[in-house]
Amino acid sequence: MQPLLQLIRRHKSGENVGVYSVCSAHPWVLESAIRFAKERNSSVLIEATSNQVNQFGGYTGMQPAGFREMVWRMADKIDLPRERIWLGGDHLGPNAWQNRSAQEAMQLSETLIYDYVAAGFRKIHLDCSMSCIDDPVPLSDAIVASRAARLCQVAERSWQAHGGERPVYVIGTEVPVPGGAKTSIAGMQVTSSQAAEKTLKIHQYAWKEHGLADVWPRVIGLVVQPGVEFDHHNVEYYQPARTQELSQFIETVPHLVYEAHSTDYQTPSAYRELVRDHFAILKVGPALTFALREGLFALDKLDREWNGELNAAHLHDTLEQIMQEKPEHWRPYYKGNAHQQYIDRQYSLSDRIRYYWTEPEAEAAVNKLLNNLRNHPIPLSMLSQYLPEQVRAIKGGRLGHDPKAWVMDKVRTVLLQYALACEGQGEGE
């Protein structure tokens, strides 16, 4: 049986288990996630979005098959069996082509879906909630469901043509935008049980109308808003009392759990409570690259002090210059005066700095930073000032002395919180 179907069955039978989904294209994050899966003798779910990876390359420059090959090469190098890599596609639909007509955007979406499934992606989030240039705003639930069913037909055709495990599907979309809210999160509304029930009924009817009734049992997740979100500097934390009716409703629905997006920056106890309350698929993205940035900025500060301003890599300054020269990834999101925009560029929880790590100047600065600290090893007395958890791991023998490993261990810290919750364990190692 498809591994995700097995896991959802376990959850529906009463086991307090779930799965976290790594939504990032950064190679260090992906490598960290794969190494962590090997460390825990588990599998890892890795998802790409339609903006990151599509038939035109997305902002990563990769098509679905290319993304799969990158991940598989990492798994082979780390010696994690490929079958323990679960690939998913997030927000697959017209999202990347909202400035086109609905007809054109849906045709492009069909190619997108076909290519993802052909490349071996088996967890497919069908998201047709966004309006195209000639659509009403907002779209009716019936149109959203009908378009999602149309794309499901394409996914099934692709699977039948290419073989392998059957795809499983997630439907619906969260209220805030993917990747974090643009504005204040005050007054965050939890999805009502009535809205969840209506969404499911309309989609199930659309599946039947499109000849997909036998596929419906492979719809494993419904995206809802459980009241968790983050903006640039604030986090809305999970409050179980607000989702009581929503949690009770899904208990009556066979083979389905909730998928929660924007769960970044929650507490370890919140992750356990989310899984317990049937938000059994937890998406994490910006928190991983935020942790990576924290680690690299810590090393940048140490480099400047240890190796001197003249020889230092100046990673922080290099990134700031790149973002000033190429503001398209942050300017629509970061408002306020010049100083506030500077603070947001460097420290926002939405972490739009993640779009700039592949810039040649940024890669060169990272490489120089690592080489500086490898060629002139830094004493633990200094490292402890900025990366105390990693120093404890070095002293305990879990972590080595390579600066890249220290940064990746910051990412591991985030993954560990999710893993403990999804495995039904408490806090700690």
Side-chain angles (χ1 to χ4, degrees):
M1 181 187 291
Q2 217 268 14
L4 281 169
L5 279 175
Q6 287 182 322
L7 188 140
I8 299 304
R9 283 193 178 185
R10 287 175 58 198
H11 182 92
K12 297 298 283 188
S13 69
E15 290 190 57
N16 193 30
V17 294
V19 62
Y20 63 92
S21 173
V22 175
C23 301
S24 177
H26 195 289
W28 289 21
V29 170
L30 298 179
E31 182 181 342
S32 296
I34 294 169
R35 290 187 181 279
F36 185 65
K38 182 181 179 183
E39 172 192 333
R40 298 188 77 78
N41 193 28
S42 63
S43 298
V44 59
L45 173 59
I46 295 172
E47 298 203 45
T49 70
S50 54
N51 284 325
Q52 289 172 333
V53 175
N54 58 44
Q55 61 266 44
F56 304 108
Y59 70 73
T60 64
M62 285 183 284
Q63 297 177 352
F67 184 86
R68 176 202 64 202
E69 290 301 317
M70 177 187 71
V71 172
W72 278 359
R73 282 194 301 270
M74 288 183 184
D76 292 345
K77 184 178 180 180
I78 294 167
D79 197 27
L80 182 75
R82 290 181 178 184
E83 59 267 24
R84 282 164 56 185
I85 303 285
W86 304 344
L87 293 176
D90 194 27
H91 294 289
L92 300 188
N95 185 43
W97 304 292
Q98 295 178 56
N99 61 342
R100 314 230 186 160
S101 70
Q103 180 180 359
E104 186 178 4
M106 284 299 294
Q107 287 173 345
L108 290 167
S109 300
E110 289 185 353
T111 302
L112 175 78
I113 293 284
Y114 192 93
D115 289 353
Y116 263 78
V117 175
F121 290 71
R122 287 297 178 264
K123 177 182 176 290
I124 304 297
H125 176 205
L126 301 168
D127 183 7
C128 297
S129 61
M130 58 291 297
S131 295
C132 299
I133 199 166
D134 56 349
D135 276 331
V137 181
L139 292 175
S140 69
D141 290 340
I143 292 176
V144 172
S146 177
R147 289 179 180 177
R150 173 181 165 184
L151 295 184
C152 186
Q153 287 179 318
V154 174
E156 289 294 296
R157 285 202 304 271
S158 183
W159 161 65
Q160 289 163 6
H162 294 91
E165 292 176 338
R166 298 184 179 194
V168 296
Y169 300 99
V170 173
I171 58 173
T173 190
E174 78 277 34
V175 177
V177 297
K182 290 185 182 181
T183 55
S184 171
I185 54 176
M188 174 68 57
Q189 294 298 310
V190 172
T191 303
S192 69
S193 59
Q194 294 83 3
E197 183 176 15
K198 179 183 177 185
T199 297
L200 283 178
K201 284 183 176 179
I202 291 174
H203 277 77
Q204 188 170 8
Y205 178 79
W207 256 240
K208 182 179 178 182
E209 287 292 293
H210 285 76
L212 298 167
D214 61 328
V215 179
W216 182 252
R218 283 190 275 123
V219 178
I220 63 168
L222 172 65
V223 180
V224 292
Q225 174 50 262
V228 301
E229 188 52 74
F230 57 92
D231 58 19
H232 299 319
H233 303 286
N234 302 285
V235 179
E236 186 80 11
Y237 295 103
Y238 182 58
Q239 301 176 48
R242 300 178 67 191
T243 65
Q244 189 172 359
E245 288 187 9
L246 189 60
S247 298
Q248 290 172 348
F249 164 70
I250 205 67
E251 292 175 356
T252 69
V253 182
H255 66 76
L256 263 157
V257 297
Y258 292 126
E259 177 168 290
H261 291 207
S262 299
T263 66
D264 308 67
Y265 311 111
Q266 295 289 310
T267 64
S269 61
Y271 295 129
R272 294 195 302 273
E273 291 165 346
L274 281 161
V275 172
R276 177 201 67 196
D277 294 343
H278 313 306
F279 304 94
I281 307 172
L282 303 176
K283 309 296 282 290
V284 55
L288 298 169
T289 46
F290 185 90
L292 178 134
R293 178 204 57 79
E294 281 187 325
L296 284 169
F297 276 17
L299 296 187
D300 184 61
K301 179 69 173 176
L302 287 164
D303 180 38
R304 294 173 69 171
E305 293 192 11
W306 181 237
N307 290 307
E309 295 287 343
L310 186 61
N311 298 314
H314 296 284
L315 174 63
H316 181 284
D317 294 343
T318 300
L319 281 165
E320 174 63 14
Q321 181 177 343
I322 296 169
M323 294 179 80
Q324 289 276 25
E325 293 172 353
K326 300 180 178 181
E328 58 270 18
H329 293 303
W330 62 264
R331 183 162 285 165
Y333 300 85
Y334 299 158
K335 307 302 181 183
N337 59 32
H339 181 67
Q340 184 61 53
Q341 289 181 344
Y342 166 79
I343 295 297
D344 291 345
R345 280 194 298 273
Q346 303 302 326
Y347 303 109
S348 169
L349 294 174
S350 64
D351 186 47
R352 304 202 68 80
I353 209 168
R354 69 186 186 273
Y355 294 97
Y356 295 89
W357 291 115
T358 56
E359 293 289 335
E361 299 90 344
E363 290 185 337
V366 170
N367 289 333
K368 182 176 181 181
L369 172 63
L370 295 180
N371 288 332
N372 280 355
L373 297 177
R374 285 167 177 160
N375 295 333
H376 190 201
I378 194 164
L380 294 185
S381 57
M382 288 186 69
L383 187 64
S384 179
Q385 177 68 33
Y386 297 98
L387 295 173
E389 292 183 22
Q390 284 63 47
V391 168
R392 285 193 290 272
I394 293 169
K395 291 178 178 178
R398 183 179 62 78
L399 198 59
H401 289 269
D402 186 70
K404 179 181 176 182
W406 305 338
V407 176
M408 290 174 62
D409 194 64
K410 292 276 291 181
V411 177
R412 178 190 177 275
T413 300
V414 178
L415 294 171
L416 180 62
Q417 295 179 5
Y418 280 89
L420 292 175
C422 290
E423 295 167 1
Q425 301 181 38
E427 293 186 50
E429 301 257 358

